[in-house]
Coordinates of all heavy atoms in Angstrom, one line a residue:
M1 N 102.8 126.9 107.8 CA 103.7 127.3 108.9 C 103.7 126.2 109.9 O 102.7 125.7 110.2 CB 103.2 128.6 109.5 CG 103.3 129.9 108.6 SD 105.0 130.4 108.4 CE 105.4 131.2 109.9
H2 N 104.9 126.0 110.4 CA 105.0 125.0 111.4 C 106.2 125.3 112.3 O 107.0 126.2 111.9 CB 105.1 123.6 110.9 CG 106.4 123.3 110.1 ND1 106.6 123.7 108.8 CD2 107.6 122.7 110.5 CE1 107.8 123.4 108.4 NE2 108.5 122.8 109.4
M3 N 106.4 124.6 113.4 CA 107.6 124.8 114.2 C 108.0 123.4 114.7 O 107.2 122.5 114.9 CB 107.4 125.8 115.3 CG 106.6 125.4 116.4 SD 106.7 126.6 117.8 CE 105.9 125.8 119.0
H4 N 109.3 123.4 115.0 CA 109.9 122.2 115.6 C 110.1 122.5 117.1 O 110.7 123.5 117.4 CB 111.2 121.8 114.9 CG 111.1 121.5 113.5 ND1 111.0 120.3 112.9 CD2 111.0 122.4 112.4 CE1 110.9 120.4 111.6 NE2 110.9 121.6 111.3
H5 N 109.7 121.6 117.9 CA 109.9 121.8 119.4 C 111.4 121.6 119.8 O 111.9 122.2 120.7 CB 109.0 121.0 120.2 CG 107.6 121.3 120.0 ND1 107.0 122.5 120.5 CD2 106.6 120.7 119.3 CE1 105.7 122.5 120.2 NE2 105.4 121.5 119.4
D6 N 112.1 120.6 119.1 CA 113.4 120.2 119.5 C 114.5 120.3 118.5 O 115.6 119.9 118.8 CB 113.3 118.7 120.0 CG 112.3 118.6 121.2 OD1 112.3 119.4 122.1 OD2 111.5 117.6 121.1
Q7 N 114.2 120.7 117.3 CA 115.2 120.7 116.2 C 115.4 122.1 115.6 O 114.4 122.8 115.4 CB 114.9 119.7 115.1 CG 115.1 118.3 115.4 CD 113.8 117.7 115.8 OE1 112.7 118.2 115.6 NE2 113.8 116.6 116.5
D8 N 116.6 122.5 115.3 CA 117.0 123.6 114.5 C 117.1 123.0 113.1 O 117.4 121.9 112.9 CB 118.3 124.2 114.9 CG 118.3 124.8 116.3 OD1 117.3 125.4 116.7 OD2 119.4 124.6 116.9
E9 N 116.8 123.9 112.1 CA 116.9 123.5 110.7 C 117.9 124.4 109.9 O 117.9 125.6 110.2 CB 115.6 123.6 109.9 CG 114.7 122.4 110.1 CD 113.4 122.6 109.3 OE1 112.6 123.3 109.7 OE2 113.3 122.0 108.2
V10 N 118.6 123.8 109.0 CA 119.4 124.6 108.0 C 119.0 124.2 106.6 O 119.0 123.0 106.4 CB 120.9 124.4 108.3 CG1 121.7 125.1 107.2 CG2 121.3 124.9 109.6
F11 N 118.7 125.1 105.8 CA 118.4 124.8 104.4 C 119.5 125.4 103.5 O 119.9 126.5 103.7 CB 117.1 125.4 103.9 CG 115.9 124.7 104.4 CD1 115.4 124.9 105.6 CD2 115.2 123.8 103.5 CE1 114.2 124.2 106.1 CE2 114.1 123.1 103.9 CZ 113.6 123.3 105.2
I12 N 120.0 124.7 102.5 CA 120.9 125.1 101.5 C 120.3 125.0 100.2 O 119.8 123.9 99.8 CB 122.2 124.3 101.6 CG1 122.8 124.4 103.0 CG2 123.2 124.8 100.5 CD1 123.9 123.3 103.3
V13 N 120.2 126.1 99.4 CA 119.6 126.0 98.1 C 120.6 125.6 97.1 O 121.7 126.2 96.9 CB 119.1 127.4 97.7 CG1 118.4 127.4 96.3 CG2 118.0 127.9 98.7
K14 N 120.4 124.4 96.5 CA 121.3 123.8 95.5 C 120.9 124.3 94.1 O 121.8 124.4 93.2 CB 121.3 122.3 95.6 CG 121.6 121.7 97.0 CD 122.9 122.1 97.4 CE 123.9 121.1 96.8 NZ 125.3 121.4 97.2
A15 N 119.7 124.6 93.8 CA 119.2 125.1 92.5 C 117.8 125.7 92.7 O 117.1 125.3 93.6 CB 119.1 123.9 91.5
G16 N 117.5 126.7 91.9 CA 116.2 127.3 91.9 C 116.2 128.5 92.9 O 117.2 129.0 93.4
R17 N 115.0 129.0 93.1 CA 114.7 130.2 94.0 C 113.6 129.8 95.0 O 112.6 129.2 94.6 CB 114.4 131.4 93.2 CG 115.5 131.9 92.3 CD 115.6 133.3 92.0 NE 115.4 134.2 93.1 CZ 116.3 134.6 94.0 NH1 117.5 134.1 93.9 NH2 116.1 135.5 94.9
Y18 N 113.8 130.2 96.2 CA 112.8 129.9 97.3 C 112.6 131.1 98.1 O 113.4 132.0 98.3 CB 113.4 128.8 98.2 CG 113.5 127.5 97.5 CD1 114.6 127.1 96.7 CD2 112.5 126.5 97.6 CE1 114.7 125.9 96.0 CE2 112.6 125.3 96.9 CZ 113.7 125.0 96.2 OH 113.8 123.8 95.5
R19 N 111.4 131.2 98.7 CA 111.1 132.2 99.7 C 110.9 131.4 101.0 O 110.1 130.5 101.1 CB 109.8 132.9 99.3 CG 109.4 133.9 100.4 CD 108.4 134.9 99.9 NE 109.1 135.8 98.9 CZ 108.4 136.3 97.9 NH1 107.1 136.1 97.7 NH2 109.1 137.0 97.0
F20 N 111.5 131.9 102.1 CA 111.4 131.3 103.4 C 110.8 132.4 104.3 O 111.1 133.6 104.2 CB 112.8 131.0 104.0 CG 113.4 129.7 103.3 CD1 114.1 129.8 102.1 CD2 113.3 128.5 104.0 CE1 114.6 128.7 101.6 CE2 113.8 127.4 103.4 CZ 114.5 127.5 102.2
Q21 N 110.0 131.9 105.2 CA 109.5 132.8 106.3 C 109.9 132.2 107.6 O 109.8 131.0 107.8 CB 108.0 132.9 106.2 CG 107.4 133.8 107.3 CD 106.0 134.3 107.1 OE1 105.5 134.2 106.0 NE2 105.4 134.8 108.1
C22 N 110.5 133.0 108.4 CA 110.9 132.6 109.8 C 110.4 133.7 110.7 O 110.8 134.9 110.7 CB 112.5 132.6 109.8 SG 113.1 132.0 111.4
G23 N 109.4 133.3 111.5 CA 108.7 134.3 112.4 C 108.0 135.2 111.4 O 107.2 134.8 110.5
D24 N 108.2 136.5 111.6 CA 107.5 137.5 110.7 C 108.4 138.0 109.5 O 107.9 138.8 108.7 CB 107.2 138.8 111.6 CG 106.1 138.5 112.6 OD1 105.3 137.6 112.4 OD2 106.2 139.1 113.7
D25 N 109.6 137.4 109.4 CA 110.5 137.9 108.4 C 110.5 136.9 107.2 O 110.4 135.7 107.4 CB 111.9 137.9 108.9 CG 112.1 139.0 110.1 OD1 111.5 140.0 110.0 OD2 112.7 138.6 111.1
Q26 N 110.6 137.5 106.0 CA 110.7 136.7 104.8 C 112.0 136.9 104.1 O 112.6 138.1 104.1 CB 109.6 137.0 103.8 CG 108.2 136.5 104.3 CD 107.1 136.6 103.3 OE1 107.3 137.0 102.1 NE2 105.9 136.1 103.7
F27 N 112.6 135.9 103.4 CA 113.9 135.9 102.8 C 113.8 135.2 101.5 O 113.3 134.1 101.4 CB 114.9 135.2 103.6 CG 115.0 135.8 105.0 CD1 114.3 135.2 106.1 CD2 115.8 136.9 105.3 CE1 114.4 135.7 107.4 CE2 115.9 137.4 106.6 CZ 115.2 136.8 107.6
D28 N 114.2 135.8 100.4 CA 114.3 135.1 99.1 C 115.7 134.6 98.9 O 116.7 135.4 99.0 CB 113.9 136.1 97.9 CG 112.4 136.4 97.9 OD1 111.7 135.8 98.7 OD2 112.0 137.3 97.1
L29 N 115.9 133.3 98.6 CA 117.2 132.7 98.5 C 117.3 132.1 97.1 O 116.3 131.6 96.5 CB 117.3 131.6 99.5 CG 117.8 132.0 100.9 CD1 116.7 132.9 101.6 CD2 118.1 130.8 101.8
G30 N 118.5 132.0 96.6 CA 118.9 131.4 95.3 C 120.0 130.4 95.5 O 120.5 130.2 96.6
E31 N 120.5 129.9 94.4 CA 121.5 128.8 94.4 C 122.7 129.3 95.3 O 123.2 130.4 95.1 CB 122.0 128.5 93.0 CG 123.0 127.4 92.9 CD 123.3 127.1 91.5 OE1 122.4 127.3 90.6 OE2 124.4 126.5 91.3
G32 N 123.1 128.5 96.2 CA 124.3 128.8 97.0 C 124.0 129.4 98.4 O 124.8 129.5 99.3
D33 N 122.7 130.0 98.5 CA 122.3 130.6 99.7 C 121.9 129.6 100.8 O 121.5 128.5 100.4 CB 121.1 131.6 99.5 CG 121.5 132.8 98.6 OD1 122.7 133.2 98.7 OD2 120.6 133.3 98.0
S34 N 122.0 130.0 102.0 CA 121.5 129.1 103.1 C 120.8 129.9 104.1 O 120.9 131.1 104.2 CB 122.7 128.4 103.7 OG 123.6 129.3 104.3
I35 N 120.0 129.2 105.0 CA 119.2 129.9 106.0 C 119.1 129.0 107.2 O 119.0 127.8 107.1 CB 117.8 130.3 105.5 CG1 117.1 131.2 106.6 CG2 117.0 129.1 105.1 CD1 115.9 131.9 106.0
F36 N 119.2 129.6 108.4 CA 119.1 128.9 109.7 C 117.7 129.2 110.3 O 117.4 130.3 110.4 CB 120.2 129.3 110.6 CG 120.1 128.8 112.0 CD1 120.5 127.5 112.3 CD2 119.5 129.6 113.0 CE1 120.3 127.0 113.6 CE2 119.4 129.0 114.3 CZ 119.8 127.8 114.6
L37 N 117.0 128.1 110.6 CA 115.6 128.3 111.2 C 115.7 127.7 112.6 O 115.7 126.4 112.7 CB 114.6 127.6 110.3 CG 114.6 128.1 108.8 CD1 113.6 127.2 108.0 CD2 114.2 129.5 108.7
P38 N 115.7 128.5 113.6 CA 115.8 128.0 114.9 C 114.5 127.3 115.4 O 113.4 127.6 115.0 CB 116.0 129.2 115.8 CG 115.5 130.4 115.0 CD 115.6 130.0 113.6
R39 N 114.7 126.3 116.3 CA 113.6 125.6 116.9 C 112.7 126.6 117.6 O 113.1 127.7 118.0 CB 114.1 124.5 117.9 CG 114.8 125.1 119.1 CD 115.5 124.1 120.0 NE 116.7 123.7 119.3 CZ 117.5 122.7 119.7 NH1 117.1 121.9 120.7 NH2 118.6 122.4 119.0
R40 N 111.4 126.2 117.8 CA 110.4 126.9 118.4 C 110.1 128.3 117.8 O 109.5 129.2 118.4 CB 110.7 127.1 119.9 CG 110.7 125.8 120.7 CD 110.9 125.9 122.2 NE 112.2 126.2 122.6 CZ 113.2 125.4 122.7 NH1 113.0 124.1 122.4 NH2 114.4 125.8 123.1
V41 N 110.4 128.5 116.5 CA 110.1 129.7 115.8 C 109.3 129.2 114.5 O 109.8 128.4 113.7 CB 111.3 130.5 115.3 CG1 110.9 131.7 114.5 CG2 112.1 131.0 116.5
P42 N 108.0 129.7 114.4 CA 107.3 129.2 113.2 C 108.0 129.6 111.9 O 108.5 130.7 111.8 CB 105.9 130.0 113.4 CG 105.9 130.3 114.8 CD 107.3 130.5 115.3
H43 N 107.9 128.7 110.9 CA 108.6 128.9 109.7 C 107.9 128.1 108.6 O 107.1 127.2 108.8 CB 110.1 128.6 109.7 CG 110.3 127.1 110.1 ND1 110.4 126.7 111.4 CD2 110.5 126.0 109.3 CE1 110.6 125.4 111.4 NE2 110.7 125.0 110.2
S44 N 108.2 128.5 107.3 CA 107.7 127.9 106.1 C 108.5 128.3 105.0 O 109.4 129.2 105.1 CB 106.2 128.3 105.9 OG 105.6 127.6 104.9
F45 N 108.3 127.6 103.8 CA 109.0 128.0 102.6 C 108.2 127.6 101.4 O 107.3 126.7 101.5 CB 110.4 127.4 102.5 CG 110.5 126.0 102.3 CD1 110.6 125.4 101.0 CD2 110.5 125.1 103.4 CE1 110.7 124.1 100.8 CE2 110.5 123.7 103.2 CZ 110.6 123.2 101.9
C46 N 108.5 128.3 100.3 CA 107.8 127.9 99.0 C 108.9 128.0 97.9 O 109.8 128.8 98.0 CB 106.6 128.6 98.7 SG 106.8 130.4 98.5
Q47 N 108.7 127.3 96.8 CA 109.5 127.4 95.7 C 109.0 128.4 94.8 O 107.8 128.5 94.4 CB 109.6 126.0 95.0 CG 110.5 125.9 93.8 CD 110.6 124.5 93.3 OE1 110.8 123.6 94.1 NE2 110.4 124.3 92.0
L48 N 109.9 129.3 94.3 CA 109.5 130.4 93.4 C 109.8 130.1 92.0 O 109.2 130.7 91.1 CB 110.3 131.7 93.8 CG 110.0 132.2 95.2 CD1 110.9 133.4 95.6 CD2 108.6 132.6 95.4
S49 N 110.8 129.2 91.7 CA 111.2 128.9 90.3 C 110.4 127.6 89.9 O 109.8 126.9 90.7 CB 112.7 128.7 90.3 OG 113.1 127.8 91.3
S50 N 110.5 127.4 88.6 CA 109.8 126.2 88.0 C 110.4 124.9 88.5 O 109.8 123.8 88.5 CB 109.8 126.3 86.5 OG 111.1 126.3 86.0
S51 N 111.7 124.9 88.9 CA 112.3 123.7 89.4 C 113.3 124.2 90.5 O 113.7 125.3 90.5 CB 113.1 122.9 88.3 OG 114.1 123.7 87.8
G52 N 113.7 123.2 91.3 CA 114.7 123.6 92.4 C 115.1 122.4 93.1 O 114.6 121.3 92.9
R53 N 116.1 122.6 94.0 CA 116.7 121.5 94.8 C 117.2 122.1 96.1 O 117.9 123.1 96.0 CB 117.8 120.7 94.0 CG 118.1 119.4 94.6 CD 119.1 118.7 93.8 NE 120.4 119.4 93.8 CZ 121.2 119.4 92.8 NH1 121.0 118.8 91.7 NH2 122.3 120.1 92.9
L54 N 116.8 121.4 97.2 CA 117.3 121.9 98.5 C 118.0 120.7 99.2 O 117.7 119.6 99.0 CB 116.1 122.2 99.4 CG 115.2 123.4 99.0 CD1 114.0 123.5 99.8 CD2 116.0 124.7 99.2
C55 N 118.9 121.1 100.1 CA 119.6 120.2 101.0 C 119.2 120.8 102.4 O 119.3 122.0 102.6 CB 121.1 120.2 100.8 SG 121.9 119.3 102.1
Y56 N 118.7 120.0 103.3 CA 118.4 120.5 104.6 C 118.8 119.5 105.7 O 118.9 118.3 105.5 CB 116.9 120.8 104.7 CG 115.9 119.8 104.2 CD1 115.3 118.9 105.1 CD2 115.5 119.7 102.9 CE1 114.3 118.0 104.7 CE2 114.6 118.8 102.4 CZ 114.0 118.0 103.3 OH 113.1 117.1 102.9
L57 N 119.1 120.2 106.8 CA 119.7 119.4 107.9 C 118.9 119.8 109.2 O 118.4 120.9 109.4 CB 121.2 119.9 108.2 CG 122.0 119.9 106.9 CD1 122.9 121.1 106.8 CD2 122.9 118.6 107.0
Y58 N 118.8 118.8 110.0 CA 118.1 119.0 111.3 C 119.1 118.6 112.4 O 119.8 117.7 112.3 CB 116.9 118.0 111.5 CG 115.8 118.2 110.5 CD1 115.8 117.5 109.3 CD2 114.8 119.1 110.7 CE1 114.8 117.7 108.4 CE2 113.8 119.3 109.8 CZ 113.8 118.6 108.6 OH 112.8 118.9 107.7
T59 N 119.1 119.4 113.5 CA 120.0 119.1 114.6 C 119.3 119.4 115.9 O 118.7 120.5 116.0 CB 121.3 119.9 114.5 OG1 122.1 119.5 115.6 CG2 121.1 121.4 114.5
P60 N 119.2 118.5 116.8 CA 119.5 117.0 116.6 C 118.4 116.4 115.7 O 117.3 117.0 115.6 CB 119.4 116.4 118.0 CG 118.5 117.3 118.7 CD 118.7 118.7 118.2
A61 N 118.8 115.3 115.0 CA 117.8 114.7 114.0 C 116.5 114.3 114.7 O 115.5 114.4 114.1 CB 118.5 113.5 113.3
G62 N 116.6 113.8 115.9 CA 115.4 113.4 116.6 C 114.5 112.5 115.8 O 114.9 111.5 115.2
A63 N 113.2 112.8 115.8 CA 112.2 112.0 115.2 C 112.0 112.3 113.7 O 111.0 111.8 113.1 CB 110.9 112.1 115.9
M64 N 112.8 113.1 113.1 CA 112.6 113.5 111.7 C 112.7 112.4 110.7 O 112.0 112.3 109.8 CB 113.6 114.7 111.3 CG 113.3 116.0 112.1 SD 111.5 116.5 112.1 CE 111.3 116.7 110.3
E65 N 113.6 111.5 110.9 CA 113.7 110.3 110.0 C 112.4 109.5 110.0 O 111.9 109.1 108.9 CB 114.9 109.4 110.3 CG 116.2 110.0 110.0 CD 117.4 109.1 110.2 OE1 117.2 107.8 110.2 OE2 118.5 109.6 110.4
D66 N 111.9 109.3 111.2 CA 110.6 108.6 111.3 C 109.5 109.4 110.6 O 108.6 108.8 110.0 CB 110.3 108.3 112.8 CG 111.2 107.3 113.4 OD1 111.8 106.5 112.7 OD2 111.4 107.4 114.6
F67 N 109.5 110.7 110.8 CA 108.5 111.5 110.1 C 108.5 111.3 108.6 O 107.5 111.1 108.0 CB 108.7 113.0 110.5 CG 107.9 114.0 109.6 CD1 106.5 114.1 109.9 CD2 108.5 114.7 108.6 CE1 105.8 115.0 109.1 CE2 107.7 115.5 107.8 CZ 106.4 115.7 108.1
F68 N 109.7 111.4 108.0 CA 109.8 111.3 106.5 C 109.4 109.8 106.1 O 108.8 109.7 105.0 CB 111.2 111.7 106.0 CG 111.3 113.2 106.1 CD1 112.2 113.8 106.9 CD2 110.6 114.0 105.2 CE1 112.4 115.2 106.9 CE2 110.7 115.4 105.2 CZ 111.6 115.9 106.1
R69 N 109.8 108.8 106.9 CA 109.3 107.5 106.6 C 107.8 107.4 106.6 O 107.2 106.8 105.7 CB 110.0 106.5 107.6 CG 111.4 106.2 107.3 CD 111.9 105.1 108.2 NE 113.3 105.0 108.1 CZ 114.2 105.4 109.0 NH1 113.8 105.9 110.2 NH2 115.5 105.3 108.9
A70 N 107.2 107.9 107.6 CA 105.7 107.9 107.7 C 105.1 108.6 106.6 O 104.1 108.2 106.0 CB 105.3 108.4 109.1
L71 N 105.6 109.8 106.2 CA 105.1 110.6 105.1 C 105.2 109.9 103.8 O 104.3 109.9 103.0 CB 105.9 111.9 105.1 CG 105.3 113.0 104.2 CD1 103.9 113.4 104.7 CD2 106.3 114.2 104.2
A72 N 106.3 109.2 103.6 CA 106.5 108.4 102.3 C 105.5 107.3 102.2 O 105.3 106.8 101.1 CB 107.9 107.9 102.3
Q73 N 104.9 106.8 103.3 CA 104.0 105.7 103.2 C 102.6 106.1 102.8 O 101.7 105.3 102.5 CB 103.9 104.9 104.5 CG 105.2 104.3 105.0 CD 105.7 103.3 103.9 OE1 105.0 102.4 103.5 NE2 107.0 103.4 103.5
L74 N 102.3 107.4 102.8 CA 101.0 107.9 102.5 C 100.8 107.9 101.0 O 101.7 108.1 100.2 CB 100.8 109.3 103.0 CG 101.0 109.5 104.5 CD1 100.8 111.0 104.9 CD2 99.9 108.7 105.3
P75 N 99.5 107.6 100.6 CA 99.3 107.6 99.1 C 99.3 108.9 98.4 O 99.3 109.0 97.2 CB 97.8 107.0 99.1 CG 97.2 107.3 100.4 CD 98.4 107.3 101.4
G76 N 99.2 110.0 99.2 CA 99.2 111.4 98.7 C 99.3 112.3 99.8 O 99.5 111.9 101.0
P77 N 99.2 113.6 99.6 CA 99.3 114.6 100.7 C 98.1 114.3 101.7 O 97.0 114.0 101.3 CB 99.0 115.9 100.0 CG 99.4 115.7 98.5 CD 99.1 114.2 98.3
P78 N 98.4 114.4 103.0 CA 97.4 114.1 104.0 C 96.4 115.3 104.1 O 96.8 116.4 103.7 CB 98.2 114.0 105.3 CG 99.4 114.8 105.1 CD 99.7 114.7 103.6
E79 N 95.2 115.0 104.5 CA 94.2 116.0 104.8 C 94.8 116.9 106.0 O 95.6 116.4 106.7 CB 92.9 115.4 105.2 CG 92.2 114.7 104.1 CD 91.9 115.6 102.9 OE1 91.4 116.7 103.1 OE2 92.0 115.1 101.7
P80 N 94.4 118.1 106.1 CA 95.0 119.0 107.1 C 95.0 118.4 108.6 O 96.0 118.5 109.2 CB 94.1 120.3 107.1 CG 93.7 120.3 105.7 CD 93.5 118.9 105.3
Q81 N 93.9 117.8 109.0 CA 93.8 117.2 110.3 C 94.8 116.1 110.5 O 95.5 115.9 111.5 CB 92.4 116.8 110.7 CG 92.3 116.4 112.1 CD 90.8 116.1 112.5 OE1 89.9 116.2 111.6 NE2 90.5 115.7 113.7
A82 N 94.9 115.2 109.5 CA 95.8 114.0 109.5 C 97.3 114.5 109.4 O 98.2 114.0 110.1 CB 95.5 113.1 108.4
G83 N 97.5 115.6 108.6 CA 98.9 116.2 108.6 C 99.3 116.7 109.9 O 100.4 116.6 110.3
A84 N 98.4 117.5 110.6 CA 98.7 118.0 111.9 C 99.0 117.0 112.9 O 99.9 117.1 113.7 CB 97.6 118.9 112.3
A85 N 98.3 115.8 112.8 CA 98.5 114.7 113.7 C 99.9 114.1 113.5 O 100.6 113.7 114.4 CB 97.4 113.7 113.6
L86 N 100.2 113.9 112.2 CA 101.5 113.4 111.8 C 102.6 114.3 112.3 O 103.6 113.8 112.9 CB 101.6 113.2 110.3 CG 102.9 112.6 109.7 CD1 103.1 111.2 110.2 CD2 102.8 112.6 108.2
F87 N 102.5 115.6 112.1 CA 103.5 116.5 112.6 C 103.6 116.4 114.1 O 104.7 116.3 114.7 CB 103.1 118.0 112.3 CG 103.6 118.4 110.9 CD1 103.3 117.7 109.8 CD2 104.3 119.6 110.8 CE1 103.8 118.2 108.5 CE2 104.8 120.1 109.6 CZ 104.5 119.4 108.5
A88 N 102.5 116.4 114.9 CA 102.5 116.4 116.3 C 103.2 115.1 116.8 O 103.9 115.1 117.8 CB 101.1 116.5 116.9
A89 N 103.0 114.0 116.1 CA 103.6 112.7 116.5 C 105.1 112.7 116.4 O 105.7 111.8 116.9 CB 102.9 111.6 115.7
H90 N 105.6 113.7 115.7 CA 107.1 113.7 115.4 C 107.7 115.1 115.9 O 108.7 115.5 115.4 CB 107.3 113.5 113.9 CG 106.9 112.1 113.5 ND1 105.7 111.9 113.0 CD2 107.6 111.0 113.5 CE1 105.6 110.6 112.7 NE2 106.8 110.0 113.0
G91 N 107.1 115.7 116.9 CA 107.7 116.8 117.6 C 107.5 118.1 116.9 O 108.3 119.0 117.1
M92 N 106.5 118.2 116.0 CA 106.3 119.5 115.3 C 104.9 120.0 115.6 O 104.0 119.2 116.0 CB 106.5 119.3 113.8 CG 107.9 119.0 113.4 SD 108.1 118.7 111.7 CE 107.4 117.0 111.5
Q93 N 104.6 121.2 115.3 CA 103.3 121.8 115.5 C 102.9 122.6 114.3 O 103.7 123.5 113.9 CB 103.2 122.6 116.7 CG 101.9 123.2 117.0 CD 101.9 124.0 118.3 OE1 102.9 124.1 119.0 NE2 100.8 124.7 118.6
V94 N 101.8 122.4 113.7 CA 101.3 123.2 112.6 C 100.8 124.5 113.2 O 100.0 124.5 114.1 CB 100.2 122.5 111.8 CG1 99.6 123.4 110.7 CG2 100.7 121.2 111.1
M95 N 101.3 125.6 112.6 CA 101.0 127.0 113.1 C 100.1 127.8 112.2 O 99.6 128.8 112.6 CB 102.3 127.7 113.4 CG 103.3 127.0 114.2 SD 102.8 126.7 115.9 CE 102.7 128.4 116.5
G96 N 99.9 127.3 111.0 CA 99.0 128.1 110.1 C 99.2 127.6 108.6 O 99.9 126.6 108.4
P97 N 98.7 128.2 107.7 CA 98.8 127.8 106.3 C 100.2 127.9 105.8 O 101.0 128.7 106.3 CB 97.8 128.7 105.5 CG 97.7 129.9 106.4 CD 97.9 129.5 107.8
P98 N 100.5 127.1 104.7 CA 101.9 127.2 104.2 C 102.1 128.5 103.4 O 101.1 129.2 103.0 CB 101.9 126.0 103.2 CG 100.5 125.7 102.9 CD 99.7 126.1 104.1
L99 N 103.3 128.8 103.2 CA 103.7 130.0 102.4 C 103.4 129.6 101.0 O 103.7 128.5 100.5 CB 105.2 130.3 102.6 CG 105.7 131.6 102.2 CD1 105.0 132.8 102.8 CD2 107.2 131.7 102.5
T100 N 102.8 130.5 100.2 CA 102.5 130.3 98.8 C 103.2 131.3 97.9 O 103.5 132.4 98.3 CB 101.0 130.3 98.5 OG1 100.5 131.6 98.9 CG2 100.2 129.3 99.3
P101 N 103.6 130.8 96.7 CA 104.3 131.7 95.8 C 103.4 132.9 95.4 O 102.2 132.8 95.4 CB 104.6 130.9 94.6 CG 104.4 129.5 95.0 CD 103.4 129.5 96.2
P102 N 104.0 134.1 95.1 CA 103.2 135.2 94.7 C 102.6 135.0 93.4 O 102.9 134.3 92.6 CB 104.3 136.4 94.7 CG 105.6 135.7 94.7 CD 105.4 134.3 95.2

């Protein structure tokens, strides 16, 4: 779970099935579905199918391009403390563990 201080997000499911959590609500989405995740509301998602593809948009884009560039430079997933620091450096806040598939 994380939140963006300055960006809203929109996810569009291009293939597969996903579960999104926005605040206390959960939504299962499939191909062609979309979801709006407002800024300052904790959210997360997980993939439910064996494969999938998402398109997502941030508005305003803000520091998100820099976040993905920094993430791509890492040799693997960051440890929780390093991940939280990376999020914070790019206007996001880790709020709890990620959503996991059932």
Side-chain angles (χ1 to χ4, degrees):
M1 292 289 284
H2 68 279
M3 74 170 186
H4 301 262
H5 295 285
D6 300 315
Q7 288 94 20
D8 298 320
E9 275 183 285
V10 174
F11 282 83
I12 303 163
V13 179
K14 304 299 278 180
R17 296 207 46 80
Y18 292 84
R19 176 165 295 149
F20 286 83
Q21 182 164 340
C22 184
D24 293 329
D25 299 319
Q26 290 191 0
F27 306 91
D28 287 354
L29 278 66
E31 185 174 336
D33 292 334
S34 62
I35 189 168
F36 174 79
L37 304 172
R39 67 188 77 189
R40 293 185 288 279
V41 176
H43 60 274
S44 186
F45 70 93
C46 65
Q47 185 173 308
L48 300 174
S49 53
S50 61
S51 64
R53 192 174 68 210
L54 293 171
C55 175
Y56 47 99
L57 309 135
Y58 297 93
T59 182
M64 293 310 299
E65 286 185 27
D66 292 335
F67 169 76
F68 286 113
R69 283 187 190 104
L71 191 61
Q73 297 302 311
L74 299 177
E79 294 297 322
Q81 188 173 0
L86 181 64
F87 271 54
H90 295 91
M92 296 176 282
Q93 181 179 355
V94 174
M95 307 295 292
L99 193 58
T100 56

